[in-house]
Amino acid sequence: IQPTPRRLEGIVYNDNPSIERIVFIGGLHRSGTTLLERLLSARYDVSYLRADVPESEGQHMQTVFSPAIFHGGPGRFAFSKEMRDELNVLTDCSSCRKKLLSEWGQFVVDTAPTLLEKSPPNLTKIKWLRKVFPNSRFVIMARDPRAASGATKKWSNTSLPELVAHWGAAYSQSIEDFDSGDCI
């Protein structure tokens, strides 16, 4: 069971966010997604999420789908058939969108109509997220698989060859769903 996320002290939250577009940032753990999200939120007029969950990732602030930790976590989630199967049964896109926006809405910082949502599994959920949020955009972060795998090893009871294979599986899924019209 995932703990209920809480707001952070000292953060000014938007209690009535009006989100028109979501920019999903995806990339494996230790690929630079947190740095990119922090840079974009500091430089551009965008809203973003903050809560007492790992790296303020949206995957931990919602109950529509299971976070990656339930599918093996860092170094394993992209291999999970169960994670893909879970999304395949979530076909009521309108209900999913409404629930995600409601749950994420509790943790929105700023008033911009564009929301940044950063979670490593976004890399493997592009097709589903595109259906749920048709006006969304996707930023895919890639880091040399050797560097990303080496940096992830301390969080995962997984060998370096397995981590590199996971990198290949995750980015293969993102390439399969990549569309230059909404992805960079």
Side-chain angles (χ1 to χ4, degrees):
I1 294 176
Q2 186 174 354
T4 303
R6 294 180 310 219
R7 287 181 165 190
L8 299 170
E9 289 187 32
I11 300 285
V12 178
Y13 289 92
N14 179 349
D15 288 323
N16 191 23
S18 179
I19 303 302
E20 296 172 12
R21 174 179 281 175
I22 300 181
V23 175
F24 292 99
I25 299 172
L28 288 186
H29 296 87
R30 312 302 293 164
S31 66
T33 57
T34 300
L35 176 61
L36 177 65
E37 187 263 357
R38 302 283 160 86
L39 289 170
L40 292 174
S41 64
R43 174 70 172 92
Y44 296 99
D45 186 22
V46 293
S47 294
Y48 50 94
L49 303 172
R50 291 293 180 265
D52 69 340
V53 298
E55 301 302 330
S56 285
E57 293 172 0
Q59 69 169 328
H60 301 295
M61 298 177 211
Q62 54 77 41
T63 60
V64 173
F65 54 83
S66 303
I69 194 69
F70 289 95
H71 299 287
R76 293 197 173 108
F77 71 83
F79 295 135
S80 176
K81 181 182 180 319
E82 292 79 18
M83 188 169 86
R84 290 186 298 280
D85 290 344
E86 179 183 54
L87 294 180
N88 290 335
V89 299
L90 296 172
T91 57
D92 185 348
C93 295
S94 178
S95 292
C96 290
R97 179 176 46 256
K98 184 177 179 179
K99 187 164 186 173
L100 283 166
L101 287 173
S102 172
E103 292 177 338
W104 286 338
Q106 303 169 60
F107 305 102
V108 172
V109 177
D110 214 316
T111 59
T114 298
L115 175 67
L116 294 178
E117 194 287 306
K118 176 209 77 89
S119 295
N122 290 345
L123 184 64
T124 62
K125 298 177 190 287
I126 295 171
K127 185 176 180 180
W128 184 82
L129 290 168
R130 187 181 283 131
K131 288 179 188 174
V132 175
F133 298 100
N135 195 30
S136 57
R137 299 292 184 260
F138 302 89
V139 178
I140 308 304
M141 291 292 296
R143 183 179 179 199
D144 183 300
R146 297 165 297 182
S149 298
T152 303
K153 184 143 178 41
K154 68 179 179 181
W155 294 349
S156 175
N157 190 18
T158 310
S159 71
L160 283 175
E162 289 171 312
L163 288 164
V164 171
H166 181 258
W167 188 99
Y171 285 97
S172 291
Q173 288 175 49
S174 72
I175 289 169
E176 189 174 306
D177 297 329
F178 190 90
D179 180 332
S180 63
D182 62 8
C183 296
I184 186 169

